[in-house]
């Protein structure tokens, strides 16, 4: 799913993978006008909420113990973004607002969460901030996270450090977000 510690949480039932599957089922059902797929997607969404969500955060996985599915203590920042991005949570705007504060690059990160890497976690964060109209926050975060990269190499990197590609294609999405956030703020 991404380049973080969250990939260590794959044993038995991985909820971010199921959120991605939910998104694919729902989209296929809508595209094909197939209620069998959309019904299956909705059932999956309900199960994700039941087993992953504690009312505050989504947990990354659950394991089978003696025939019972038991949620682990594993929580990743990226799992929260998947839950919002794929509309698992229905109170999306309030949830994203809370996440925006908790995982802000300007705040101290809670230790219990494994951090989102650039791809795909932080990119989903940008999509969500843009989606809920948090343009000023998006621009502040882009300046904080990406300006040092652009100043150093003139590019956007695969990671937040120079340990891999320092000219990564998906990074171009940052330019789109910056341009569109400015455009919306000028309206």
């Amino acid at each position: 799913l991404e380049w973080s510690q969250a990939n260590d949480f794959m044993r038995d039932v991985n909820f971010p993978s199921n959120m991605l599957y939910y998104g694919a089922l729902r989209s296929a059902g809508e595209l094909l006008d197939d209620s069998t797929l959309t019904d299956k997607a909705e059932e999956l969404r309900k199960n994700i909420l039941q087993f992953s969500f504690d009312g505050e955060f989504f947990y990354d996985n659950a394991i089978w113990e003696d025939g019972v599915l038991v949620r682990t203590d594993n929580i990743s920042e990226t799992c929260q973004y998947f839950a919002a991005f794929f509309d698992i949570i229905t109170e999306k705007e309030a949830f994203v607002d809370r996440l925006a504060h908790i995982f802000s690059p300007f705040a101290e990160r809670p230790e219990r969460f494994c951090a989102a890497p650039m791809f795909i976690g932080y990119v989903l964060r940008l999509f969500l901030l843009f989606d809920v109209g948090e343009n000023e926050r998006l621009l502040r975060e882009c300046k904080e996270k990406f300006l040092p990269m652009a100043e150093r190499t003139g590019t956007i990197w695969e990671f937040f450090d120079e340990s891999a590609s320092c000219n990564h294609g998906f990074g171009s999405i940052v330019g789109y977000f910056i341009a569109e956030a400015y455009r919306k703020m000028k309206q």
Side-chain angles (χ1 to χ4, degrees):
L1 295 174
E2 50 136 31
W3 301 116
S4 85
Q5 180 188 352
N7 278 324
D8 297 340
F9 310 145
M10 300 302 281
R11 181 172 165 209
D12 295 351
V13 178
N14 177 268
F15 294 113
S17 293
N18 277 282
M19 293 171 188
L20 180 63
Y21 181 51
Y22 160 79
L25 278 174
R26 183 188 66 194
S27 295
E30 291 169 358
L31 182 67
L32 300 171
D33 195 27
D34 184 337
S35 63
T36 304
L37 295 174
T38 54
D39 291 348
K40 185 175 180 178
E42 184 55 26
E43 188 65 29
L44 179 57
R45 189 184 77 77
K46 288 177 185 174
N47 284 325
I48 292 168
L49 283 167
Q50 178 184 349
F51 291 104
S52 175
F53 192 53
D54 70 357
E56 187 175 10
F57 296 106
F58 287 85
Y59 288 70
D60 278 69
N61 70 314
I63 57 174
W64 291 104
E65 291 182 358
D66 300 320
V68 177
L69 195 58
V70 178
R71 187 172 53 216
T72 68
D73 291 333
N74 301 320
I75 304 176
S76 72
E77 180 180 352
T78 300
C79 183
Q80 312 316 302
Y81 298 148
F82 269 64
F85 186 82
F86 290 109
D87 299 320
I88 301 298
I89 184 117
T90 53
E91 304 83 28
K92 183 176 179 175
E93 193 164 327
F95 187 70
V96 170
D97 183 58
R98 199 162 49 83
L99 295 179
H101 293 289
I102 293 169
F103 300 118
S104 169
F106 311 107
E108 188 172 326
R109 175 170 307 285
E111 286 187 29
R112 72 185 269 207
F113 301 99
C114 71
M118 170 75 121
F119 190 73
I120 184 168
Y122 202 78
V123 171
L124 287 182
R125 178 183 175 86
L126 296 177
F127 270 103
L128 292 168
L129 291 174
F130 184 76
D131 189 41
V132 299
E134 286 280 349
N135 296 308
E136 288 182 30
R137 176 183 293 276
L138 185 145
L139 291 171
R140 260 193 339 271
E141 290 192 19
C142 283
K143 183 176 181 180
E144 169 77 16
K145 290 290 193 179
F146 305 115
L147 185 57
M149 294 178 194
E151 289 176 338
R152 176 144 168 81
T153 63
T155 59
I156 303 298
W157 307 343
E158 181 176 6
F159 297 123
F160 289 119
D161 60 35
E162 299 173 55
S163 62
S165 171
C166 289
N167 186 13
H168 213 268
F170 79 82
S172 64
I173 192 72
V174 173
Y176 170 79
F177 286 131
I178 291 171
E180 286 299 302
Y182 271 122
R183 184 184 66 75
K184 285 185 174 187
M185 289 173 57
K186 299 282 186 201
Q187 291 180 342

